[in-house]
Amino acid sequence: MNGNINTLLREVYAGRFTDTHYEKLTACIEKYRPLITQNRKQKWDESDVVLIIYADQFHHEKAKPLAVFNDFYYKWFKSVFSHVHLLPFYPWSSDDGFSVMDYHRVAPESGEWSDIAELNKQARLMFDFVCNHMSAKSEWFNNYLQQKPGFENFFLAMDPSTDLSAVTRPRALPLLTPFTLHDGSQRHLWTTFSDDQIDLNYNEPDVLLAMIEVLLHYLAQGADYVRLDAVGFMWKTPGTSCIHLQKTHQLIKLFRAITDEVAPGTAIITETNVPHKDNISYLGNGRDEAHMVYQFSLPPLVLHAVHRQDVTALCQWAQGLALPGRDTTWFNFLASHDGIGLNPLRGILPEEEILHLVEQLRQEGALVNWKNNPDGTRSPYEVNVTYMDALSARDSTDDERLARFLLAHAILLSFPGVPAIYIQSIMGSRNDYDGVERLGYNRAINRQKYHQDDIESQLQASGSLRHRVYHALSRMIVLRRQSSVFHPDSAFTINSLTPQVMQITRTTKNGETLEALFNISNAEQKIKVHSTGFDLISECPVPHAELTLRPWQVMWIKKQ
């Protein structure tokens, strides 16, 4: 075991990580080491594009959902995406998978590990490591309630009179939840997200050992990318904000060090839906923490630009993007299984502009989730809407919807980093209000599930919005994957030529250059270009002349 792992363990636990703990950790690593494939891609490139999907996304009477998805992926996605991010596919009790009951099993209603292995033959895989909390209906938590030996401190009990007013709250729900133990005593346990999601107590070395085994198991099952869910909350110290604490960063460095030891080439990706400065802190020094961080500010800033028809704020933010080294990059996305986070806008846009954007979206049918503030007020923290409907008004034509949608995704695909596309986006989905009514929570608006025959029929219906979105976005993704100028490490500059026209330039080490132009407005825009080239999207030459960009038009001009 390398010295960096030992150093981190001493920093986190001091003398409480005993020789017995070291022996258990070493045995666990050596158990999984021969099970982990070593032929991993050692770094990212322009061909890496991720599809985000639920394991039970597609249904059919002929098979369980994972087997159905394997078939659907082969038909529709194999030539488009390199990676599949399977949202938590383990047995779960709530939150569409993020209340995990058993980290080591596949939910039997979705399939088996053999289905995951079959998918791995077609695509590289990204797993969720739900490392902050687990289900109140899990065996681990039942063992805690039954006061079984070894589980006494697996979860964090707290005297309810403790002053926890400084704790950052991501939800408008109680932080502590009372539970009754086997002997009749009551304990108030830390529940950051809900009373069905009990926070793990990383102050206990046995908890760390159990979760390291989960991580190693996922690597053995083929995970090339590992997403650390809600990772910023892992370590708690009353009297502090209990988010982004030093020991949380040290735990992530520990996960990174172990992963580098047994599975070099694996990417650790942190999910922290927080202001940009805090988010990028998880890249560490560029070599010791996350390989990628979610680019949470991008989705709401693109929406802000489209709604205002003004790229100024988006460009000013992006001009300040900087990575600590070439061993890190951005994980870029516009839509995900969650809503569009607003905290990542704070510190970038004035609060009144954020509230104005939220109200615009709400008037067009979006739903809003709120959080409580320490001063007793509340603020919107998330907008729930499909990205398709977030970009356009309800009375827009399908032509207008498609144009704005493709422009937004061209921005995503032009940014440095690895792009990820949510299943509802590539399917051209609209808001699922029936799902919200049936399931009773706002996020269901963007979590529609499909019967394979029905969705294939819709995708094949020439002229339908789904058909047009799937084919146009797939083509754009393939163009991106085939052009080395989109390598995540290629040089990136971004400028606003006018408030309505944005220019992104990507340049490789060899001097190959692409100039991307975006008209983020509903009016024609005339601009001048200063070199000849070829537009990859229209497949037309671009002369040395003035250009007229149609409303919402994008050009990817390969310089000649």
Side-chain angles (χ1 to χ4, degrees), residues 147-176:
Q147 298 175 285
K148 292 188 176 180
F151 289 88
E152 298 91 345
N153 297 308
F154 249 61
F155 304 93
L156 187 59
M158 188 66 51
D159 185 331
S161 66
T162 306
D163 181 5
L164 299 175
S165 59
V167 175
T168 298
R169 300 295 297 118
R171 299 284 185 273
L173 294 168
L175 178 61
L176 301 180

Side-chain angles (χ1 to χ4, degrees), residues 15 24 170 187 191 193 204 279 312 355-356 395 493 499 530 551:
K24 289 180 178 179
R187 292 187 187 174
T191 52
F193 293 97
E204 174 62 38
N279 188 30
T312 304
L355 295 176
H356 181 68
D395 61 359
T493 60
H530 302 290

Side-chain angles (χ1 to χ4, degrees), residues 437-450:
E437 184 175 352
R438 184 176 66 257
L439 297 171
Y441 51 87
N442 288 354
R443 285 178 170 178
I445 200 170
N446 193 29
R447 296 181 178 181
Q448 185 179 0
K449 304 296 172 66
Y450 307 105

Side-chain angles (χ1 to χ4, degrees), residues 56 88-103 105 107-109 130 133-139 141-142 179 194-198 439 441 447:
D56 63 349
F89 51 85
Y90 328 112
W92 56 278
S93 56
S94 64
D95 199 17
D96 278 351
F98 285 89
S99 295
V100 179
M101 296 169 63
D102 187 339
Y103 291 110
R105 293 176 55 222
E109 63 272 19
V130 186
H133 52 263
M134 72 181 310
S135 170
K137 299 173 179 62
S138 64
E139 183 180 358
F141 189 60
N142 182 64
F179 290 92
S194 81
D195 59 8
D196 188 45
Q197 293 169 305
I198 319 299
L439 297 171
Y441 51 87
R447 296 181 178 181

Side-chain angles (χ1 to χ4, degrees), residues 42-47 291-292 323 325-330 332 414-418 480 483-493 505-510:
Q42 289 304 299
K43 210 180 176 188
W44 41 81
D45 60 32
E46 67 277 5
S47 70
H291 298 86
M292 306 182 200
L323 293 165
R326 286 192 173 272
D327 293 327
T328 60
T329 195
W330 310 105
N332 297 319
S414 300
F415 260 64
V418 173
R480 194 253 190 208
S483 185
S484 60
V485 293
F486 289 117
H487 191 292
D489 296 346
S490 293
F492 166 82
T493 60
T505 304
R506 303 295 306 275
T507 307
T508 67
K509 292 178 181 179
N510 298 326

